[in-house]
Amino acid sequence: MTTGQATERVAIVTGGSGGIGGAAAQRLAADGMKVVVHYAGGAAKADQVVESITAAGGVAIALPGDVADPAEMGQLFDTVQERFGGVDVVVNTAGIMLLAPVAEMDLDAFDRMHRVNVRGTFVVSQLAARRLRPGGALINFSTSITRLQPPTYAAYAATKGAVEAMTLILAREMRGRDVTVNVVAPGPTATALFLDGKTEEQIDRLAAAPPLERLGTPEDIAESVAFLAGPGRWVNGQVIYANGGIG
């Protein structure tokens, strides 16, 4: 959307220093939204996203915070409120992926992943539920792995199954607020998170799996985000599988 309304809208993108988060931030900025690029440890990358947006004529700032810490994220929402007057869109891409077979998964790693992916999503969703303005949208992130079920992904998929459950219930709890709540579930996407630790052969095999015969790009996923954040007002309480038809 490039209407006057869109130029007044404000979006927070958690994990905005990452591949999908950065692409989503830039795509929403291209639609005229003022964008807050959240980061945890990637300050330099978040600044790069902000610079890219401002160079293209958009408005963006980078803000830090631990998504699982309600005080830190509450402060982030307060800062956005003070700076821009409110929040209309929250895109929650922040997450980590730690892989191992169930029999070998380190439970400290399991707990760390649940803290970020489940508790973090819950904290941000709670704040969004309290603060999103009418006409707003919350977009959480799952994964197509919940359908594909490959070995070593059980703990990660469990966190995303939890994200889907809480998000779809929240959509029903937001009755009367004129706020949509959805999940985007990407398939194999060419990001650092996905490519790390994979051989060229593994990457080629995954790229050949979808009928479209390629990996997704962060920009592909950002288009789904832009649709749900803008014109897709009648899509609510859904999981959108952005995966090129892989499953």
Side-chain angles (χ1 to χ4, degrees):
M1 297 194 313
T2 54
T3 65
Q5 180 188 7
T7 62
E8 300 167 359
R9 301 183 83 207
V10 179
I12 296 172
V13 180
T14 73
S17 60
I20 290 174
Q26 293 180 74
R27 182 64 179 80
L28 295 179
D31 279 352
M33 297 189 198
K34 298 172 181 176
V35 179
V36 177
V37 180
H38 158 271
Y39 64 92
K45 290 182 179 178
D47 288 341
Q48 289 174 3
V49 174
V50 169
E51 288 167 9
S52 176
I53 291 170
T54 54
V59 177
I61 60 172
L63 291 175
D66 175 356
V67 288
D69 186 321
E72 290 190 17
M73 295 311 294
Q75 180 58 55
L76 183 145
F77 272 75
D78 288 344
T79 300
V80 175
Q81 181 85 32
E82 293 161 8
R83 179 76 176 265
F84 297 122
V87 182
D88 302 284
V89 175
V90 173
V91 183
N92 202 19
T93 76
I96 59 175
M97 181 171 65
L98 305 171
L99 305 180
V102 170
E104 300 170 17
M105 171 60 72
D106 177 80
L107 290 180
D108 287 339
F110 180 88
D111 289 343
R112 183 157 61 93
M113 189 160 49
H114 273 257
R115 185 179 187 278
V116 176
N117 296 1
V118 180
R119 179 185 166 98
T121 298
F122 194 92
V123 166
V124 174
S125 296
Q126 187 175 67
L127 287 162
R130 294 169 177 170
R131 304 206 193 189
L132 280 169
R133 294 187 285 202
L138 169 63
I139 302 156
N140 284 331
F141 264 72
S142 180
T143 172
S144 291
I145 291 296
T146 56
R147 280 186 171 183
L148 301 174
Q149 294 122 24
T152 75
Y153 282 83
Y156 176 68
T159 69
K160 294 305 187 176
V163 166
E164 291 182 15
M166 72 174 75
T167 305
L168 301 188
I169 291 170
L170 177 57
R172 278 71 185 174
E173 293 177 348
M174 294 296 282
R175 175 180 291 274
R177 290 278 305 279
D178 189 25
V179 169
T180 61
V181 183
N182 291 289
V183 180
V184 173
T189 306
T191 65
L193 179 69
F194 171 78
L195 297 173
D196 183 45
K198 291 183 174 65
T199 66
E200 201 66 41
E201 180 184 358
Q202 288 173 316
I203 293 168
D204 290 344
R205 185 172 68 252
L206 289 164
L212 298 177
E213 296 187 324
R214 67 174 177 84
L215 292 177
T217 67
E219 290 73 25
D220 289 327
I221 310 307
E223 289 296 332
S224 297
V225 170
F227 172 72
L228 294 172
R233 297 298 303 165
W234 198 234
V235 179
N236 189 30
Q238 304 299 318
V239 179
I240 306 299
Y241 292 91
N243 61 23
I246 196 171

